[in-house]
Amino acid sequence: MSAWLPLFVAGPLLAAVISLVVRPPWVGRALVLITPALVILGGAALVSATSDGTVIAAQVAGWPAGIAIPFVADLLSSLMLVVSGMLVLASVSFALRTGHGQDRLFAPLVLIMTAGVYGAYLTADLFNLFVMVEVALLPSYVLLAWRGTPGAVRAARLYLTVNLTASTLFLIGLGAVYGTAGTVNLAALAGAGATPTIGVAVAVVLVALTVKGALVPTHTWLPATYPRATPAITALFSGLLTKIGVYALIRVITVVYDSGPVVGTTVIVLTLVSMVVGVLGALGEGTMRGVLSFHMVSQVGYILVGLALA
């Protein structure tokens, strides 16, 4: 089944190209519905194959290990594929039904974004994680400003600035990790956080991921931007883009760092503060979408409680 793994990225990208090239608008609408349905089926097959602890790996592009693009699926990443596919299918169905997804560019933008998300779940390399996150983010800048209102454009500008800053920090951290460890492969970095220089370098990457995951205290951009998007786009962003950061935090912390008081205490404090600040921030909002945007921050804390308990 290792040959399937690159298809989770290549399939949506190919569908995006077809939806742009083929003129009839119904083709794009059909592809944006069929593609997540196929991801759900493929993810379910991976769940079945990895439920006993099996790990499926593929080296893409024909290069040797360490140079090739590694894709790895275990039970967690397989489950994320299934759940994300369900979310995408529900969100695009709602967008098409309400008319917000009738534009010809809607399908290719969503397909490119989801390709990056699926790739981020499956990659086993920090640099490729960076690439996949950026692939997912590029269409999101357009989708956030989709309404074209002054508020949406201002939100998109803030969203772009924050994410580009976090991406720059991510790239700096990657350079530091490679310079200290000689690799950015997650398997090769297992337990390397015990070395102070590597631990600090990886911590720079983690700071960038907390920004992208909207974890307190780097959360303020989310309530200022997400409510400005259409409801379907807000659902996609909340269920996909912030969760890339959360998923990557779980992956990196559990692989690179050994359990200890410093890491454990830091994670517990951040999760508890996020849970509380998100709820309190919602009290000051006057609209339902504003309330829900702060609750997204709170729920990131709830998700990471699992990491703290582990």
Side-chain angles (χ1 to χ4, degrees), residues 188-279:
L189 290 170
T195 304
T197 53
I198 299 176
V200 172
V202 175
V204 176
V205 174
L206 294 178
V207 172
L209 292 174
T210 60
V211 177
K212 293 183 179 293
L215 192 66
V216 173
T218 62
H219 68 289
T220 52
W221 62 269
L222 191 151
T225 56
Y226 277 21
R228 300 294 183 179
T230 62
I233 297 303
T234 302
L236 279 171
F237 283 13
S238 65
L240 297 180
L241 297 184
T242 53
K243 300 313 175 289
I244 295 179
V246 175
Y247 173 82
L249 282 171
I250 294 172
R251 279 293 189 206
V252 175
I253 291 175
T254 55
V255 170
V256 177
Y257 297 95
D258 295 324
S259 59
V262 175
V263 176
T265 302
T266 302
V267 173
I268 290 172
V269 169
L270 288 177
T271 56
L272 292 177
V273 171
S274 296
M275 291 161 64
V276 174
V277 170
V279 171

Side-chain angles (χ1 to χ4, degrees), residues 135-211:
V135 169
L137 285 175
L138 282 173
S140 71
Y141 303 140
V142 180
L143 291 170
L144 184 59
W146 198 257
R147 286 180 165 178
T149 62
V153 174
R154 285 195 299 271
R157 187 163 57 241
L158 172 62
Y159 180 78
L160 175 65
T161 303
V162 170
N163 276 287
L164 286 181
T165 303
S167 296
T168 302
L169 185 61
F170 197 154
L171 200 55
I172 292 171
L174 284 176
V177 172
Y178 190 79
T180 55
T183 182
V184 288
N185 186 282
L186 269 176
L189 290 170
T195 304
T197 53
I198 299 176
V200 172
V202 175
V204 176
V205 174
L206 294 178
V207 172
L209 292 174
T210 60
V211 177

Side-chain angles (χ1 to χ4, degrees), residues 102-124:
Q102 297 298 326
D103 191 282
R104 188 166 176 269
L105 290 178
F106 175 80
L109 288 172
V110 170
L111 287 167
I112 294 172
M113 183 176 71
T114 56
V117 173
Y118 303 145
Y121 292 153
L122 293 173
T123 185

Side-chain angles (χ1 to χ4, degrees), residues 44-111:
L46 287 177
V47 169
S48 176
T50 58
S51 60
D52 59 353
T54 299
V55 176
I56 302 171
Q59 301 288 344
V60 183
W63 293 96
I67 301 176
I69 300 172
F71 282 108
V72 176
D74 61 2
L75 183 56
L76 176 59
S77 57
S78 301
L79 286 170
M80 292 296 291
L81 288 172
V82 174
V83 174
S84 297
M86 291 178 178
L87 173 74
V88 174
L89 186 59
S91 298
V92 297
S93 298
F94 177 80
L96 294 174
R97 182 68 181 85
T98 56
H100 291 147
Q102 297 298 326
D103 191 282
R104 188 166 176 269
L105 290 178
F106 175 80
L109 288 172
V110 170
L111 287 167

